[in-house]
Amino acid sequence: MLFGKPKKRSINLALQGGGAHGAFTWGVLDGLLADGRMHFEGVSGTSAGAMNAVVLADGLLRGGREGARAALETFWTAVAASLPFEIAVPSPSGQDVSLVPGFKMMLQWSHYFSPHQLNPFGLNPLKDILLAQVDFERLRTHSPVKLFIAATHANSGKVRLFRSPEISADAILASACLPMMSRPVEIEGEPYWDGGYAANPAVFPLFYECTSSDIVLVLLTPLEHKATPRSALQIKDRVLELAFNATFLREMRMFAHARAYAGQSFFRVGRLERRLAGANFHIIDAHETLSNLKTETKLAANLRFFEMLRDAGRVRTQAWLQGHHDQIGKRSTVDIAEIFA
């Protein structure tokens, strides 16, 4: 542009869940915010992605891009300091982390005792952190982005989307409620579990309820593994991972087939056909960073580990921006038919 500042490009964000691995998404968001060339219209998040989404929105509301960067750092630092004892120990290189034996033993108890027995008072330090940091009342009426938080209805398996006017601490906790670790979160008399079972994350609201043509998928779960699991523990971890990713893969496959079907028509006269033809998909993933980490590290609340993942997210985002920023608003930077169909 000859005069004034270049117009910011509008994107939607789909933030996948993954426990402590969500610190990688912190780095992605920090990188996008620091770059400053893009506007966020809609943000869909599940579990850790929901945490990042609501903290991002509240930070933007309080202080713009720099406010959001500070809010994300405050949140993840608080999560690392929230437990009364150290549950994870990083390796000397800082590139990996292991849970301490005592905490591993506690996890084993979850196979034999329900959350109602292990935690009869329903204590959840994440709720205290969210209530201390996020102004939910203000966010419900003045959110700077359209929020879509996914939770799973425990008695039907249906996805429940909490949109901006419905956002609360309980909605975020419901999205991150692991059934073996926490009792269901009740909202309006209905029980909810982790949103990953029904949408990880939900992409369809970004397509139907936002005007931006670009959807950036921030993925923490590998789209494909190089090796087949052999041990009982490896198989169990893979089955759980597949269960959390199945609905997302199915949804993206639907988009791929729908785009291909709409593309067969020379005259795209329908609103849906035009929307499908104009939709652009992009992926920022953590595969190189997370592929060699044990599944147990998703529970590793450790600041040094969080910062390693954050830094990896920043680097990955900077590389993505360098290679693809000019294509935003013009075309997809990934072939979803090749990846998902």
Side-chain angles (χ1 to χ4, degrees):
M1 293 181 64
L2 294 177
F3 304 100
K5 296 181 179 180
K7 184 178 179 180
K8 290 184 179 181
R9 298 181 180 181
S10 180
I11 63 172
N12 298 311
L13 295 169
L15 310 181
Q16 203 167 56
H21 293 179
F24 177 90
T25 304
W26 166 24
V28 171
L29 296 175
D30 189 76
L32 293 173
L33 291 164
D35 181 79
R37 290 180 289 174
M38 280 170 289
H39 163 75
F40 308 139
E41 181 187 1
V43 184
S44 177
T46 295
S47 196
M51 302 279 180
N52 278 315
V54 74
V55 173
L56 168 71
D58 187 70
L60 287 170
L61 182 59
R62 292 174 183 271
R65 293 197 308 272
E66 290 306 313
R69 296 182 70 189
L72 287 162
E73 181 173 6
T74 298
F75 172 77
W76 284 98
T77 301
V79 171
S82 64
L83 296 178
F85 55 90
E86 192 76 35
I87 68 168
V89 179
S91 65
S93 66
Q95 301 302 306
D96 199 355
V97 68
S98 296
L99 299 181
V100 299
F103 189 69
K104 287 185 180 181
M105 183 178 295
M106 288 179 61
L107 292 178
Q108 290 296 319
W109 294 347
S110 67
H111 296 293
Y112 307 100
F113 299 96
S114 75
H116 295 78
Q117 295 170 308
L118 291 174
N119 186 7
F121 298 105
L123 302 177
N124 191 332
L126 281 176
K127 185 170 186 176
D128 296 332
I129 294 171
L130 288 170
L131 290 174
Q133 184 170 342
V134 178
D135 187 343
F136 285 99
E137 184 175 355
R138 187 182 179 206
L139 197 61
R140 282 191 287 271
T141 55
H142 296 93
S143 178
V145 299
K146 297 176 182 176
L147 289 170
F148 306 98
I149 303 302
T152 303
H153 189 267
N155 293 339
S156 70
K158 294 180 180 179
V159 63
R160 166 72 190 272
L161 280 183
F162 296 92
R163 293 167 173 81
S164 299
E166 305 168 295
I167 293 300
S168 65
D170 282 342
I172 307 303
L173 295 173
S175 183
C177 178
L178 291 173
M180 299 303 293
M181 304 292 292
S182 303
R183 61 176 67 185
V185 177
E186 288 201 6
I187 300 176
E188 298 172 350
E190 298 294 332
Y192 293 97
W193 280 337
D194 196 294
Y197 294 108
N200 190 27
V203 181
F204 66 89
L206 302 175
F207 178 82
Y208 288 108
E209 301 182 37
C210 297
T211 60
S212 174
S213 60
D214 291 75
I215 299 175
V216 179
L217 309 171
V218 182
L219 306 183
L220 303 179
T221 302
L223 292 172
E224 187 173 351
H225 295 272
K226 295 180 180 179
T228 304
R230 300 288 183 181
S231 70
L233 180 59
Q234 290 173 339
I235 293 171
K236 179 183 176 182
D237 288 342
R238 180 68 59 81
V239 168
L240 183 60
E241 184 179 278
L242 292 176
F244 270 92
N245 220 30
T247 52
F248 167 72
L249 294 176
R250 190 179 303 116
E251 185 179 6
M252 290 308 300
R253 179 171 179 151
M254 180 276 294
F255 275 114
H257 283 298
R259 279 167 58 89
Y261 184 80
Q264 295 173 6
S265 174
F266 184 77
F267 296 104
R268 295 165 183 161
V269 296
R271 179 184 175 190
L272 181 59
E273 288 177 310
R274 294 195 302 271
R275 178 67 171 155
L276 284 166
N280 301 319
F281 290 92
H282 316 274
I283 291 177
I284 301 177
D285 63 71
H287 181 61
E288 294 181 2
T289 303
L290 302 179
S291 60
N292 295 322
L293 295 179
K294 299 183 289 292
T295 301
E296 68 179 41
T297 60
K298 292 181 180 181
L299 299 173
N302 178 276
L303 183 58
R304 187 176 173 186
F305 182 56
F306 288 166
E307 290 174 341
M308 182 276 289
L309 294 176
R310 176 205 60 195
D311 293 346
R314 282 176 178 166
V315 171
R316 182 73 182 88
T317 301
Q318 289 165 358
W320 182 83
L321 286 167
Q322 184 175 359
H324 300 301
H325 177 266
D326 291 342
Q327 296 167 301
I328 297 171
K330 300 176 182 178
R331 63 183 67 89
S332 294
T333 55
V334 292
D335 185 348
I336 63 171
E338 180 181 342
I339 297 175
F340 299 105

